[in-house]
Amino acid sequence: MRGLMMGRFQPFHLGHLDLVKQILKECDEIIILVTSSQFNYLEKDPFTAGERLEMIHDSLKESEVDLKKCMVLAIENQFNIATWSSYLKSMLPHFDKVYSGNDYVKMLLADAEIEVVKPSFLDRDQYNATKIRSMIVSDKNWEKFVPSSVYAFIKKIDGKHRLKIIDKSDTTPTEH
Amino acid sequence: MRGLMMGRFQPFHLGHLDLVKQILKECDEIIILVTSSQFNYLEKDPFTAGERLEMIHDSLKESEVDLKKCMVLAIENQFNIATWSSYLKSMLPHFDKVYSGNDYVKMLLADAEIEVVKPSFLDRDQYNATKIRSMIVSDKNWEKFVPSSVYAFIKKIDGKHRLKIIDKSDTTPTEH
Amino acid sequence: MRGLMMGRFQPFHLGHLDLVKQILKECDEIIILVTSSQFNYLEKDPFTAGERLEMIHDSLKESEVDLKKCMVLAIENQFNIATWSSYLKSMLPHFDKVYSGNDYVKMLLADAEIEVVKPSFLDRDQYNATKIRSMIVSDKNWEKFVPSSVYAFIKKIDGKHRLKIIDKSDTTPTEH
Amino acid sequence: MRGLMMGRFQPFHLGHLDLVKQILKECDEIIILVTSSQFNYLEKDPFTAGERLEMIHDSLKESEVDLKKCMVLAIENQFNIATWSSYLKSMLPHFDKVYSGNDYVKMLLADAEIEVVKPSFLDRDQYNATKIRSMIVSDKNWEKFVPSSVYAFIKKIDGKHRLKIIDKSDTTPTEH
Amino acid sequence: MRGLMMGRFQPFHLGHLDLVKQILKECDEIIILVTSSQFNYLEKDPFTAGERLEMIHDSLKESEVDLKKCMVLAIENQFNIATWSSYLKSMLPHFDKVYSGNDYVKMLLADAEIEVVKPSFLDRDQYNATKIRSMIVSDKNWEKFVPSSVYAFIKKIDGKHRLKIIDKSDTTPTEH
Amino acid sequence: MRGLMMGRFQPFHLGHLDLVKQILKECDEIIILVTSSQFNYLEKDPFTAGERLEMIHDSLKESEVDLKKCMVLAIENQFNIATWSSYLKSMLPHFDKVYSGNDYVKMLLADAEIEVVKPSFLDRDQYNATKIRSMIVSDKNWEKFVPSSVYAFIKKIDGKHRLKIIDKSDTTPTEH
């Protein structure tokens, strides 16, 4: 039995990690899927797919998670949403169910007869990527919401600087 | 003489059908063009191109319209707008004029020396796709604004459910 | 019951028309789907989607076919073939079966549980688009292999000139 | 020594021209790069790449600038921003430094070890493309903010009409 | 120290597995990168990215390889080759060197100052994906060239049938 | 009067330069357009757009050509050939005629009522980019077919090495 969870993971936080652990109680293996992989250096998508994969990998190593049971992958978004479930199937190893609290995801997968399970989430007001990004920018205490290796990684690449610059900017590259 | 009308038709309503009839009084044939065909399951574009084509086809059959005179087609949007009229020409059978109340469309086609005719519309505050979509979500009485087959089709695929889910969602697939 | 047939129709010939008639004996409605719609002015794809749609429409009108039962549509090719059947479903009105002699098509649709029926074809060595294109270039007698309106249309746009130029050219636009 | 400056140039104004002159004091040659070249007929991007190239070329001719030292080029935006500096390098002649006041640009180029110089700008509240576009629409006196040939060019193509139509329109081509 | 190896892995064979083991002797971690991930059901690319990821994952599990040290990822090809190394960097976790016997790869990475190491390969005439695919089609004894789980997987999905159909076909979906 | 010439310029040679001079005898200005700008490091397209622009710019400087009259630009190929002339118009400054010996180009532009002039070429068997590329690989004496600055540039970037590597390679990046 293989379960799938997905997200943009901008960044991967303790709520996400908690979900990984839940799924591994019920499934033999898990696919952790980084979505919107083609986007980066944008307000809602500051980190590259590579950076996100690395943060997740490090977080799994640091925690109690058995890496042998984990496939951490990334996928581009595409615009034809009606074909999305078939796109997932073509790009991913077989999966038996999807863990998601998103009714939109559920609707799309239902048509493809893919089972969607609604997990219980850690306090979502606290463990929330948008909130964490804004805490990083304003130097609030965000350390406790993410795995230590995510904290260390974002420090190392000076993520605060990147987020601040993106925040101030009203355009993507080019405009004077 | 072949006339062209176009729209996203999300959904096709009685104002659109009325325009079809007007055009067929002046032209031998009509092309009814579904635009933005690559988009679906989005707030402004909830129905797939296939669903829209089917609703239009059914509406024409149900009404007095002579189907032999109608070509119902779909086309993707493209980003280079300056080449749009030439794109239309490459993807469509020959057409002699375009019926549109949109000055933007008129401007783009003028450069390509395509005649644009401004039709008279049924009451556009009433017959308005945005308004109809919001009536569907809030269970208002929208039946009278669309052909019966559009009404039946949207019931059959449970369009209300889809619109509601899209409405609540703040992202396209994936985000937790 | 709605049947689907598809092809590049470069050009639409009497073998195709014969298949339309076969399908309409078994189905209430037919979708005739022009594939590779984004390609044109190429050796294997000389005619634009618009020209192909027009030739098919004219051929159906000229013959005994009931146009009310026909939807003539065009679709772009896409590169992720594993999602092709789901792409078809999103872009087309509902269809119940597909008529195709192509095992490749059958394999792809089988996974999506779409029924594929192998029709009997008119003599495929004779009624063959590649052969017809080469007869056009070399001024052989190709008139008898296509509906009269296809013949007239290709004459009108001077298709022979276009095919000859493409034939001689070893590149698409630009190269000296 | 070759310097690079870039912008959408919607339209090219005296602030841009002033920057060209500054750069030519420090560098032997300049690349003036029109970005977002694939966009046009949009609110923030009304002019085509071709029109922008022509306005810049004419402005340089009209002013004291030595055209032999100028390469005026255009480039499409792309979505994977993390690869943007390498994309620039592949599409442009070698450049030694980039003149930009944009911290976002600086951040992206820094990783590629490209030197970014912050120029001094003419009064940016005055010489500002967004403001100039809105002055054009409302018939304010915008003539003094652009080179005469930009003024003449926009008059010739009736840019005011185009901007007004785009302004009123709430969608790109198609919608009724 | 993290090493990168890449290939289309159509399919993953014992030569590839041997390389994984070599790299893990020299590096702490490995990224195994499936390239051309967007292609499938084609002569040179019969298996989907998902299938390839699954075969690799199963092969690593079956063999002596420590999965905790392995990241198995997939990436699309892109056409602008000059930006390829920067694209790799944006899509992958940090890597320190690349193992490749391909001079072309070496040339592209050299400009980005990425170290390329030429590994020794198992007999490449024997362990060769093209050859294995043709042995599958003609029912030769290919079992000994691939990990058992690759053999089992291809049997399970009836890969021979797929390869045969693709082989016979002279076009991708659509053509009659 | 502005004339347009175009080519892939892989590389720009004395035949191309001769054509520039011819055109400048008849026109006030010339656009020299590098096509297929998105391709590079391929057998028929080894040099990037940036490199080609630089070689052309250097060649014009070195020769008698008045750079003030020259616009050297680059453009991507696109697949919908029927819209090509309109794409050219959107991406280029106004041009009055096109100099091309290619009947295919002439056919495409004729429909858009663009005048095409057939220039006389320097001996095309001698001044031929394909031939020059193969001379570079095999160390023949190719110096006399290109402007000195093209020769110097290709030496500087070690173009021979690049061409040789590409030549030996049977795939684009990735394959083992």
Side-chain angles (χ1 to χ4, degrees):
Chain A
M1 171 86 85
R2 198 180 281 140
L4 168 65
M5 67 179 271
M6 50 196 151
R8 290 189 291 109
F9 304 125
Q10 293 281 12
F12 189 79
H13 56 58
L14 290 173
H16 298 130
L17 184 59
D18 180 76
L19 182 52
V20 172
K21 290 175 181 171
Q22 269 184 64
I23 295 173
L24 281 174
K25 279 185 194 136
E26 295 173 39
C27 297
D28 307 310
E29 290 189 329
I30 185 175
I31 300 171
I32 303 170
L33 184 63
V34 173
T35 57
S36 298
S37 71
Q38 78 266 50
F39 297 113
N40 51 59
Y41 285 84
L42 295 171
E43 196 181 337
K44 297 182 72 171
D45 286 294
F47 303 111
T48 68
E51 290 167 339
R52 291 178 272 164
L53 289 165
E54 185 153 353
M55 286 190 263
I56 295 169
H57 186 74
D58 290 352
S59 300
L60 299 176
K61 265 169 81 172
E62 143 198 352
S63 72
E64 305 295 299
V65 174
D66 182 357
L67 263 166
K68 271 179 303 202
K69 298 179 168 176
C70 301
M71 298 158 114
V72 189
L73 296 168
I75 201 167
E76 294 194 4
N77 280 6
Q78 52 163 34
F79 60 79
N80 186 335
I81 299 175
T83 65
W84 180 66
S85 61
S86 111
Y87 174 58
L88 280 188
K89 284 181 174 177
S90 78
M91 301 306 273
L92 299 181
H94 174 78
F95 51 92
D96 301 286
K97 43 181 162 171
V98 177
Y99 289 78
S100 170
N102 187 322
D103 289 332
Y104 191 99
V105 165
K106 188 172 182 174
M107 168 179 65
L108 292 174
L109 298 179
D111 294 340
E113 293 176 22
I114 295 171
E115 187 188 355
V116 178
V117 179
K118 195 166 205 146
S120 61
F121 291 101
L122 273 196
D123 180 348
R124 300 185 80 174
D125 290 328
Q126 295 285 327
Y127 298 97
N128 176 296
T130 305
K131 190 187 154 215
I132 290 168
R133 290 198 305 275
S134 93
M135 293 178 86
I136 294 174
V137 171
S138 55
D139 250 335
K140 296 269 170 54
N141 180 13
W142 56 279
E143 186 168 359
K144 59 183 170 185
F145 299 114
V146 297
S148 328
S149 36
V150 167
Y151 185 76
F153 186 87
I154 291 176
K155 284 286 180 192
K156 194 184 68 186
I157 64 167
D158 196 356
K160 179 183 154 188
H161 175 69
R162 189 188 301 176
L163 291 173
K164 266 184 139 157
I165 299 273
I166 294 172
D167 215 45
K168 280 192 317 180
S169 174
D170 56 347
T171 36
T172 52
T174 70
E175 181 75 298
H176 279 125
Chain B
M1 171 86 85
R2 197 181 281 141
L4 168 66
M5 68 178 271
M6 51 196 151
R8 291 189 293 108
F9 304 125
Q10 294 281 11
F12 189 79
H13 55 59
L14 290 173
H16 298 131
L17 184 58
D18 180 75
L19 181 53
V20 172
K21 289 176 181 169
Q22 269 182 64
I23 295 173
L24 282 175
K25 279 184 194 138
E26 295 172 39
C27 298
D28 307 309
E29 291 189 330
I30 185 174
I31 299 172
I32 303 170
L33 184 63
V34 173
T35 58
S36 298
S37 70
Q38 78 265 52
F39 296 113
N40 50 59
Y41 284 85
L42 295 171
E43 195 182 338
K44 296 181 72 171
D45 286 295
F47 303 111
T48 67
E51 290 167 341
R52 290 179 271 163
L53 289 166
E54 185 154 351
M55 286 190 264
I56 295 168
H57 187 74
D58 290 352
S59 300
L60 299 176
K61 265 169 81 172
E62 143 197 353
S63 70
E64 305 295 300
V65 174
D66 182 356
L67 263 166
K68 269 178 304 201
K69 298 178 168 178
C70 301
M71 299 159 114
V72 189
L73 297 167
I75 201 167
E76 294 195 5
N77 281 6
Q78 52 163 34
F79 60 79
N80 187 334
I81 299 175
T83 64
W84 180 66
S85 62
S86 110
Y87 175 57
L88 280 188
K89 283 181 175 177
S90 78
M91 301 305 274
L92 299 181
H94 174 78
F95 50 93
D96 300 285
K97 44 181 163 172
V98 177
Y99 290 77
S100 170
N102 187 322
D103 288 331
Y104 191 100
V105 165
K106 186 170 183 176
M107 169 179 64
L108 293 173
L109 299 179
D111 294 338
E113 293 176 21
I114 295 171
E115 186 189 357
V116 178
V117 179
K118 196 166 204 144
S120 61
F121 290 102
L122 273 197
D123 179 349
R124 298 185 81 174
D125 290 329
Q126 294 286 327
Y127 298 97
N128 176 297
T130 305
K131 190 187 154 213
I132 290 168
R133 290 198 304 276
S134 93
M135 293 178 87
I136 295 174
V137 171
S138 55
D139 251 335
K140 296 268 170 54
N141 180 11
W142 55 279
E143 186 168 358
K144 59 184 168 185
F145 299 113
V146 298
S148 330
S149 37
V150 168
Y151 185 76
F153 186 88
I154 290 176
K155 284 286 181 191
K156 193 183 71 186
I157 64 167
D158 197 355
K160 179 183 154 188
H161 176 68
R162 188 189 301 177
L163 291 173
K164 267 184 138 158
I165 299 274
I166 294 172
D167 214 45
K168 281 192 316 181
S169 174
D170 55 348
T171 36
T172 51
T174 71
E175 179 76 299
H176 278 127
Chain C
M1 171 87 85
R2 197 181 281 140
L4 168 65
M5 68 179 270
M6 50 197 153
R8 292 191 292 109
F9 304 126
Q10 293 280 11
F12 189 79
H13 55 58
L14 289 173
H16 298 130
L17 184 59
D18 180 75
L19 182 52
V20 171
K21 290 176 181 171
Q22 268 183 67
I23 294 173
L24 281 175
K25 278 184 195 139
E26 294 172 40
C27 298
D28 306 309
E29 291 189 330
I30 185 174
I31 300 172
I32 304 169
L33 184 63
V34 173
T35 58
S36 299
S37 70
Q38 78 264 54
F39 297 112
N40 50 59
Y41 285 85
L42 294 170
E43 194 181 339
K44 296 182 70 171
D45 286 295
F47 303 111
T48 68
E51 290 167 341
R52 291 178 272 163
L53 289 165
E54 185 154 351
M55 286 190 263
I56 295 169
H57 186 75
D58 290 353
S59 300
L60 299 176
K61 265 169 82 172
E62 140 196 356
S63 71
E64 304 295 300
V65 175
D66 182 356
L67 263 167
K68 270 178 305 202
K69 298 180 167 175
C70 300
M71 299 159 114
V72 189
L73 297 167
I75 201 166
E76 293 194 5
N77 280 6
Q78 51 163 34
F79 60 79
N80 187 334
I81 299 175
T83 64
W84 180 67
S85 62
S86 110
Y87 174 59
L88 279 189
K89 283 181 175 178
S90 78
M91 301 306 274
L92 299 182
H94 174 78
F95 51 91
D96 300 285
K97 44 181 163 171
V98 176
Y99 289 78
S100 170
N102 187 322
D103 289 331
Y104 191 98
V105 165
K106 187 171 183 175
M107 168 178 64
L108 293 174
L109 298 179
D111 294 338
E113 293 175 22
I114 295 171
E115 186 189 356
V116 179
V117 180
K118 196 165 204 147
S120 61
F121 292 101
L122 273 197
D123 180 349
R124 298 185 81 174
D125 290 329
Q126 294 286 327
Y127 299 96
N128 177 296
T130 305
K131 189 186 155 215
I132 290 168
R133 290 198 304 275
S134 92
M135 292 177 86
I136 294 174
V137 171
S138 55
D139 251 336
K140 297 269 170 53
N141 180 12
W142 55 280
E143 186 168 359
K144 60 183 169 185
F145 298 114
V146 298
S148 331
S149 36
V150 168
Y151 185 75
F153 186 88
I154 291 176
K155 284 286 181 191
K156 192 183 70 185
I157 64 167
D158 197 354
K160 178 183 154 188
H161 176 68
R162 187 188 303 176
L163 291 173
K164 266 185 139 158
I165 299 274
I166 295 172
D167 215 46
K168 279 192 318 181
S169 174
D170 56 350
T171 37
T172 51
T174 71
E175 179 77 297
H176 279 126
Chain D
M1 172 87 84
R2 198 181 280 141
L4 168 65
M5 67 178 272
M6 50 197 151
R8 291 190 291 109
F9 305 124
Q10 295 280 10
F12 189 79
H13 55 59
L14 290 173
H16 298 130
L17 184 59
D18 179 75
L19 182 51
V20 172
K21 290 175 182 171
Q22 268 183 66
I23 295 173
L24 282 175
K25 280 184 194 137
E26 295 172 39
C27 298
D28 307 309
E29 290 189 331
I30 186 175
I31 300 172
I32 303 170
L33 184 62
V34 173
T35 58
S36 298
S37 71
Q38 79 266 51
F39 297 113
N40 50 59
Y41 285 85
L42 294 170
E43 195 181 339
K44 296 182 71 172
D45 286 296
F47 303 111
T48 67
E51 290 167 340
R52 291 180 271 165
L53 290 165
E54 185 153 352
M55 285 189 265
I56 295 169
H57 187 75
D58 290 353
S59 301
L60 300 175
K61 266 169 80 173
E62 141 197 354
S63 71
E64 305 295 299
V65 174
D66 182 356
L67 263 166
K68 269 179 303 203
K69 298 179 168 176
C70 300
M71 298 159 114
V72 188
L73 296 168
I75 200 166
E76 294 195 4
N77 280 7
Q78 51 164 33
F79 59 79
N80 187 335
I81 298 175
T83 65
W84 180 66
S85 62
S86 112
Y87 174 58
L88 280 188
K89 284 181 174 177
S90 77
M91 301 305 275
L92 299 181
H94 174 78
F95 51 91
D96 300 284
K97 44 181 163 171
V98 176
Y99 289 77
S100 170
N102 187 320
D103 289 332
Y104 191 99
V105 165
K106 187 172 182 173
M107 169 179 65
L108 293 174
L109 298 180
D111 294 338
E113 294 176 20
I114 295 171
E115 186 189 356
V116 179
V117 179
K118 197 167 203 142
S120 62
F121 291 102
L122 273 196
D123 180 348
R124 298 185 80 173
D125 290 329
Q126 295 286 325
Y127 298 95
N128 176 296
T130 306
K131 190 188 154 213
I132 290 168
R133 291 199 303 276
S134 93
M135 292 177 87
I136 294 174
V137 170
S138 56
D139 250 335
K140 297 268 169 55
N141 180 11
W142 55 280
E143 186 168 358
K144 59 184 169 184
F145 299 114
V146 298
S148 330
S149 36
V150 168
Y151 185 76
F153 186 89
I154 291 176
K155 284 286 181 193
K156 193 184 70 186
I157 64 167
D158 197 356
K160 178 183 153 188
H161 176 68
R162 189 189 301 176
L163 291 173
K164 267 185 138 158
I165 299 274
I166 294 172
D167 214 46
K168 281 192 316 182
S169 173
D170 56 348
T171 36
T172 51
T174 71
E175 179 76 296
H176 278 127
Chain E
M1 172 86 86
R2 198 180 280 141
L4 168 65
M5 68 178 271
M6 50 197 152
R8 290 190 292 110
F9 305 126
Q10 295 279 11
F12 189 80
H13 55 59
L14 290 172
H16 298 131
L17 184 59
D18 180 75
L19 182 52
V20 172
K21 290 175 180 170
Q22 268 184 66
I23 295 173
L24 282 174
K25 279 183 195 140
E26 294 172 39
C27 298
D28 307 309
E29 290 189 329
I30 185 175
I31 300 172
I32 303 170
L33 184 62
V34 173
T35 58
S36 299
S37 70
Q38 78 266 52
F39 297 112
N40 49 59
Y41 285 85
L42 295 171
E43 194 180 340
K44 296 182 71 172
D45 286 295
F47 303 111
T48 68
E51 289 166 342
R52 290 179 272 163
L53 289 165
E54 186 154 351
M55 286 190 264
I56 295 169
H57 187 75
D58 290 352
S59 300
L60 300 176
K61 265 169 81 173
E62 140 197 356
S63 72
E64 305 295 300
V65 174
D66 182 355
L67 263 167
K68 270 180 303 207
K69 299 179 168 176
C70 300
M71 297 159 116
V72 189
L73 296 168
I75 201 167
E76 295 194 3
N77 281 6
Q78 52 164 34
F79 59 79
N80 187 334
I81 298 174
T83 65
W84 180 68
S85 62
S86 111
Y87 174 59
L88 280 188
K89 284 180 174 178
S90 77
M91 301 306 274
L92 298 182
H94 174 79
F95 51 91
D96 300 285
K97 44 182 163 170
V98 177
Y99 290 77
S100 171
N102 187 321
D103 289 331
Y104 191 98
V105 165
K106 188 172 183 174
M107 168 180 64
L108 293 174
L109 298 179
D111 294 338
E113 293 175 22
I114 295 171
E115 187 189 355
V116 178
V117 180
K118 195 163 204 147
S120 62
F121 292 102
L122 274 196
D123 179 348
R124 298 185 82 174
D125 290 330
Q126 294 286 326
Y127 298 96
N128 176 296
T130 306
K131 188 186 154 214
I132 291 169
R133 290 198 304 275
S134 93
M135 293 178 85
I136 294 174
V137 171
S138 56
D139 251 335
K140 296 270 168 54
N141 180 12
W142 54 281
E143 186 168 359
K144 59 184 170 184
F145 298 114
V146 298
S148 331
S149 35
V150 167
Y151 185 76
F153 186 89
I154 291 176
K155 283 285 183 193
K156 192 183 71 186
I157 64 167
D158 197 355
K160 178 183 154 188
H161 176 68
R162 189 188 301 176
L163 291 173
K164 267 185 137 157
I165 299 275
I166 294 172
D167 216 46
K168 280 192 316 182
S169 174
D170 55 349
T171 37
T172 52
T174 70
E175 180 77 296
H176 277 125
Chain F
M1 171 87 84
R2 198 181 279 141
L4 167 65
M5 68 178 270
M6 52 197 151
R8 291 189 293 108
F9 304 125
Q10 293 281 11
F12 188 80
H13 56 58
L14 289 173
H16 298 130
L17 184 59
D18 180 75
L19 182 52
V20 172
K21 290 175 181 170
Q22 268 183 65
I23 295 173
L24 281 175
K25 279 184 195 139
E26 295 172 38
C27 298
D28 307 308
E29 291 189 329
I30 184 174
I31 299 172
I32 303 170
L33 184 63
V34 173
T35 58
S36 298
S37 71
Q38 78 265 53
F39 297 113
N40 49 59
Y41 285 85
L42 295 170
E43 196 181 339
K44 297 181 71 172
D45 286 294
F47 303 111
T48 67
E51 290 166 341
R52 290 178 272 163
L53 289 165
E54 186 154 350
M55 286 190 264
I56 295 169
H57 187 75
D58 290 352
S59 300
L60 299 176
K61 265 169 80 173
E62 141 197 356
S63 71
E64 306 295 300
V65 174
D66 182 355
L67 263 166
K68 270 180 303 203
K69 298 180 168 175
C70 300
M71 300 159 113
V72 189
L73 296 167
I75 200 166
E76 294 194 4
N77 280 6
Q78 52 164 33
F79 59 78
N80 187 335
I81 298 174
T83 66
W84 180 68
S85 62
S86 110
Y87 175 58
L88 279 188
K89 283 181 174 176
S90 77
M91 301 306 273
L92 299 182
H94 175 78
F95 50 92
D96 301 285
K97 43 182 163 171
V98 177
Y99 289 78
S100 170
N102 187 322
D103 289 331
Y104 190 98
V105 164
K106 187 172 183 174
M107 167 179 65
L108 292 173
L109 298 179
D111 295 338
E113 293 175 23
I114 295 171
E115 186 189 356
V116 179
V117 179
K118 196 164 204 148
S120 62
F121 291 102
L122 274 197
D123 178 348
R124 300 185 80 174
D125 290 330
Q126 294 286 328
Y127 298 97
N128 176 296
T130 305
K131 188 187 156 215
I132 291 168
R133 290 197 305 276
S134 93
M135 293 177 86
I136 294 174
V137 171
S138 56
D139 251 335
K140 297 268 170 52
N141 181 12
W142 55 281
E143 187 169 357
K144 59 183 169 184
F145 299 114
V146 298
S148 330
S149 36
V150 167
Y151 185 76
F153 186 89
I154 290 176
K155 284 285 181 192
K156 192 184 71 186
I157 64 166
D158 198 355
K160 178 183 154 188
H161 176 68
R162 188 188 300 176
L163 291 173
K164 265 184 137 157
I165 299 275
I166 294 172
D167 215 46
K168 279 192 318 181
S169 174
D170 55 348
T171 38
T172 52
T174 71
E175 180 74 299
H176 278 126

